[in-house]
Amino acid sequence: MNNNLQTGKLEISDDFLALQLQVGDALQLQADAPNQPRAHAKLLGYLTQQSVIVALPSLQSQVQIGDGFVLRGFVGNTSYEFYSRVLSVSDL
């Protein structure tokens, strides 16, 4: 398991920044547990080397602080995947 997931820290690396994701880009989130469905989300923003902010309407009521997720997506012909942990939940 990724050490960043265990510590609850998400380090946004140069590789992530090279993807040049834009606000509104589609992402898929999957709970870090066996056989979990993928949920659709949209990128709201990110803070370099700190956090990713997403809108997750389909799982919003089920997400708890500390939950781990795998985030996946595509940019052009490039697929990406990284691990994250929920630091905060907001009901907007």
Side-chain angles (χ1 to χ4, degrees):
M1 183 178 288
N2 184 309
N3 189 45
N4 291 340
L5 182 60
Q6 292 174 346
T7 62
K9 295 179 181 176
L10 172 64
E11 294 181 10
I12 300 178
S13 69
D14 292 337
D15 292 339
F16 177 84
L17 297 175
L19 293 171
Q20 298 182 350
L21 297 175
Q22 302 295 314
V23 170
D25 282 353
L27 302 170
Q28 288 186 347
L29 278 74
Q30 184 175 22
D32 187 36
N35 302 317
Q36 294 298 309
R38 293 183 184 184
H40 297 281
K42 287 192 177 194
L43 180 68
L44 296 180
Y46 55 87
L47 295 173
T48 304
Q49 300 296 328
Q50 294 183 33
S51 62
V52 175
I53 304 165
V54 298
L56 185 60
S58 62
L59 289 178
Q60 189 170 356
S61 64
Q62 300 171 15
V63 174
Q64 301 284 328
I65 293 173
D67 288 351
F69 283 89
V70 178
L71 281 78
R72 295 183 176 91
F74 290 94
V75 174
N77 292 332
T78 303
S79 66
Y80 59 88
E81 174 181 286
F82 59 93
Y83 297 92
S84 183
R85 183 166 301 281
V86 176
L87 300 177
S88 178
V89 177
S90 178
D91 197 9
L92 300 176

Short mmCIF file of all heavy atoms in Angstrom, two decimals, residues 54 56 59-67 69 85-92:
data_model
loop_
_atom_site.label_atom_id
_atom_site.label_comp_id
_atom_site.label_asym_id
_atom_site.label_seq_id
_atom_site.Cartn_x
_atom_site.Cartn_y
_atom_site.Cartn_z
N VAL A 54 -12.39 17.72 -4.83
CA VAL A 54 -13.31 17.17 -5.82
C VAL A 54 -14.75 17.29 -5.36
O VAL A 54 -15.03 17.37 -4.16
CB VAL A 54 -13.00 15.68 -6.14
CG1 VAL A 54 -11.61 15.52 -6.72
CG2 VAL A 54 -13.20 14.81 -4.93
N LEU A 56 -18.14 15.19 -5.36
CA LEU A 56 -18.49 13.77 -5.42
C LEU A 56 -19.95 13.57 -5.08
O LEU A 56 -20.30 13.09 -4.00
CB LEU A 56 -17.59 13.00 -4.44
CG LEU A 56 -17.67 11.50 -4.40
CD1 LEU A 56 -17.31 10.90 -5.75
CD2 LEU A 56 -16.76 10.97 -3.33
N LEU A 59 -21.52 9.80 -3.93
CA LEU A 59 -21.14 9.14 -2.68
C LEU A 59 -21.07 10.10 -1.50
O LEU A 59 -20.64 9.73 -0.43
CB LEU A 59 -19.75 8.49 -2.82
CG LEU A 59 -19.63 7.27 -3.70
CD1 LEU A 59 -18.19 6.80 -3.75
CD2 LEU A 59 -20.51 6.15 -3.19
N GLN A 60 -21.51 11.31 -1.69
CA GLN A 60 -21.30 12.37 -0.70
C GLN A 60 -21.73 11.95 0.70
O GLN A 60 -21.02 12.19 1.67
CB GLN A 60 -22.03 13.62 -1.13
CG GLN A 60 -21.70 14.82 -0.27
CD GLN A 60 -22.25 16.08 -0.88
OE1 GLN A 60 -22.81 16.07 -1.96
NE2 GLN A 60 -22.09 17.17 -0.18
N SER A 61 -22.87 11.32 0.84
CA SER A 61 -23.36 10.98 2.17
C SER A 61 -22.61 9.80 2.78
O SER A 61 -22.72 9.55 3.97
CB SER A 61 -24.85 10.69 2.12
OG SER A 61 -25.09 9.55 1.32
N GLN A 62 -21.84 9.06 1.97
CA GLN A 62 -21.16 7.88 2.45
C GLN A 62 -19.68 8.12 2.77
O GLN A 62 -19.02 7.25 3.30
CB GLN A 62 -21.25 6.77 1.41
CG GLN A 62 -22.67 6.37 1.08
CD GLN A 62 -22.73 5.44 -0.10
OE1 GLN A 62 -21.73 4.86 -0.51
NE2 GLN A 62 -23.91 5.28 -0.67
N VAL A 63 -19.14 9.28 2.45
CA VAL A 63 -17.73 9.55 2.63
C VAL A 63 -17.46 10.06 4.04
O VAL A 63 -18.16 10.92 4.54
CB VAL A 63 -17.26 10.61 1.58
CG1 VAL A 63 -15.83 11.03 1.84
CG2 VAL A 63 -17.41 10.06 0.18
N GLN A 64 -16.44 9.49 4.67
CA GLN A 64 -16.05 9.86 6.02
C GLN A 64 -14.62 10.37 6.02
O GLN A 64 -13.79 9.92 5.22
CB GLN A 64 -16.13 8.64 6.94
CG GLN A 64 -17.49 8.00 7.02
CD GLN A 64 -18.45 8.79 7.87
OE1 GLN A 64 -18.05 9.45 8.81
NE2 GLN A 64 -19.73 8.75 7.52
N ILE A 65 -14.31 11.27 6.92
CA ILE A 65 -12.93 11.74 7.08
C ILE A 65 -12.06 10.53 7.40
O ILE A 65 -12.41 9.70 8.22
CB ILE A 65 -12.83 12.80 8.18
CG1 ILE A 65 -13.57 14.07 7.73
CG2 ILE A 65 -11.38 13.11 8.52
CD1 ILE A 65 -13.68 15.13 8.78
N GLY A 66 -10.94 10.43 6.69
CA GLY A 66 -10.02 9.32 6.87
C GLY A 66 -10.17 8.21 5.84
O GLY A 66 -9.28 7.36 5.72
N ASP A 67 -11.28 8.18 5.10
CA ASP A 67 -11.47 7.16 4.07
C ASP A 67 -10.40 7.29 3.01
O ASP A 67 -10.02 8.39 2.61
CB ASP A 67 -12.84 7.30 3.38
CG ASP A 67 -14.00 6.89 4.26
OD1 ASP A 67 -13.77 6.34 5.35
OD2 ASP A 67 -15.15 7.15 3.85
N PHE A 69 -9.09 6.53 -0.96
CA PHE A 69 -9.63 6.38 -2.30
C PHE A 69 -8.52 6.28 -3.32
O PHE A 69 -7.44 6.85 -3.14
CB PHE A 69 -10.51 7.58 -2.69
CG PHE A 69 -11.86 7.56 -2.05
CD1 PHE A 69 -12.06 8.15 -0.82
CD2 PHE A 69 -12.93 6.97 -2.69
CE1 PHE A 69 -13.30 8.13 -0.21
CE2 PHE A 69 -14.19 6.95 -2.10
CZ PHE A 69 -14.37 7.54 -0.86
N ARG A 85 -6.54 10.34 0.66
CA ARG A 85 -7.34 10.10 1.86
C ARG A 85 -8.19 11.34 2.10
O ARG A 85 -7.74 12.47 1.90
CB ARG A 85 -6.43 9.87 3.06
CG ARG A 85 -7.18 9.55 4.32
CD ARG A 85 -6.33 9.00 5.42
NE ARG A 85 -5.61 7.78 5.11
CZ ARG A 85 -6.14 6.55 5.09
NH1 ARG A 85 -7.41 6.39 5.36
NH2 ARG A 85 -5.41 5.50 4.81
N VAL A 86 -9.42 11.15 2.54
CA VAL A 86 -10.35 12.25 2.79
C VAL A 86 -9.87 13.03 4.03
O VAL A 86 -9.73 12.46 5.10
CB VAL A 86 -11.79 11.73 3.00
CG1 VAL A 86 -12.72 12.88 3.35
CG2 VAL A 86 -12.26 10.98 1.76
N LEU A 87 -9.63 14.32 3.83
CA LEU A 87 -9.22 15.18 4.93
C LEU A 87 -10.38 16.01 5.47
O LEU A 87 -10.37 16.41 6.62
CB LEU A 87 -8.10 16.12 4.47
CG LEU A 87 -6.83 15.46 3.96
CD1 LEU A 87 -5.85 16.49 3.46
CD2 LEU A 87 -6.22 14.59 5.04
N SER A 88 -11.38 16.25 4.60
CA SER A 88 -12.51 17.08 5.00
C SER A 88 -13.69 16.75 4.08
O SER A 88 -13.50 16.41 2.93
CB SER A 88 -12.15 18.55 4.87
OG SER A 88 -13.23 19.36 5.20
N VAL A 89 -14.89 16.86 4.61
CA VAL A 89 -16.10 16.65 3.84
C VAL A 89 -16.98 17.88 4.03
O VAL A 89 -17.19 18.34 5.15
CB VAL A 89 -16.88 15.39 4.31
CG1 VAL A 89 -18.18 15.24 3.54
CG2 VAL A 89 -16.02 14.15 4.19
N SER A 90 -17.46 18.43 2.91
CA SER A 90 -18.32 19.61 2.98
C SER A 90 -19.60 19.32 2.22
O SER A 90 -19.58 18.76 1.14
CB SER A 90 -17.59 20.80 2.34
OG SER A 90 -18.43 21.92 2.35
N ASP A 91 -20.70 19.71 2.78
CA ASP A 91 -22.01 19.53 2.16
C ASP A 91 -22.46 20.89 1.64
O ASP A 91 -23.00 21.70 2.39
CB ASP A 91 -22.98 18.99 3.20
CG ASP A 91 -24.22 18.41 2.58
OD1 ASP A 91 -24.28 18.26 1.35
OD2 ASP A 91 -25.14 18.07 3.35
N LEU A 92 -22.21 21.16 0.36
CA LEU A 92 -22.53 22.47 -0.20
C LEU A 92 -23.92 22.51 -0.77
O LEU A 92 -24.43 21.71 -1.37
CB LEU A 92 -21.52 22.83 -1.29
CG LEU A 92 -20.08 22.92 -0.80
CD1 LEU A 92 -19.16 23.18 -1.97
CD2 LEU A 92 -19.94 24.03 0.22
#
